Amino acid sequence: GNSVTQMEGPVTLSEEAFLTINCTYTATGYPSLFWYVQYPGEGLQLLLKATKADDKGSNKGFEATYRKETTSFHLEKGSVQVSDSAVYFCALRDTSGTYKYIFGTGTRLKVLA
Amino acid sequence: DSGVTQTPKHLITATGQRVTLRCSPRSGDLSVYWYQQSLDQGLQFLIQYYNGEERAKGNILERFSAQQFPDLHSELNLSSLELGDSALYFCASSVAEVGRDTQYFGPGTRLTVL
């Protein structure tokens, strides 16, 4: 079945450091891929998405590229801020026609001033 | 604000009890999804409804049930509650069509079973 593997956290960085959170997936076909962010005490917010191979999703300085050859969708940001501290979830849309999502386990990011 | 509303925000109840969580999707979205987020299990898909009909089932216990009403709001019913059912329950909605598959999440209902 389809699955998502995300790097374990927590990830602790200093402000202005470069961020990478790894995400790989297993799926039949070509699922849409998503990154969601969850700030403390809140629900999940869509951060970015990509729907086909080589698509790059971007938002708020974050980027991720849909790599079919490596089945990856790594999240990157060139310079993190304290306000980026949150839990980040990688997800794919199931390819069985149901449109449900399969989520990774989440990666907690803590950015220190 | 995602446009998805969930009530109540918090719910505290005792083991053995039954509760109902409510979700109103974004305007125009026909599909509703329920997820459970617990510390040890991460974010687990429970069930999906599309225009009133069940479309997909995930790791949903037999003690749990859901339905989607003609006005498209959905309710998740949890019965014979156990301590392990304490979690955040999220509802999401989407159009559920090719190219329009982004899910928008509500703020969640935090359930505490004592």
Side-chain angles (χ1 to χ4, degrees), chain B residues 2 21 30 38-40 42 46 64 67 97 102:
Chain B
S2 67
L21 313 183
L30 296 178
S38 56
L39 281 174
D40 57 344
L46 296 177
F64 296 0
Q67 54 184 328
E97 294 175 1
T102 300

Side-chain angles (χ1 to χ4, degrees), chain A residues 44-102:
Chain A
L44 277 73
Q45 300 176 26
L46 177 67
L47 184 58
L48 53 85
K49 66 181 278 191
T51 57
K52 60 183 188 297
D54 300 324
D55 263 3
K56 178 186 280 189
S58 61
N59 185 25
K60 299 181 182 178
F62 291 90
E63 292 182 341
T65 301
Y66 192 140
R67 302 278 187 210
K68 186 180 66 151
E69 63 277 10
T70 55
T71 61
S72 65
F73 193 54
H74 305 321
L75 182 68
E76 297 182 335
K77 186 175 186 183
S79 175
V80 293
Q81 305 300 311
V82 172
S83 57
D84 294 327
S85 298
V87 180
Y88 293 82
F89 291 91
C90 183
L92 66 79
R93 177 171 73 75
D94 185 70
T95 52
S96 66
T98 65
Y99 290 88
K100 73 181 184 187
Y101 282 8
I102 295 167

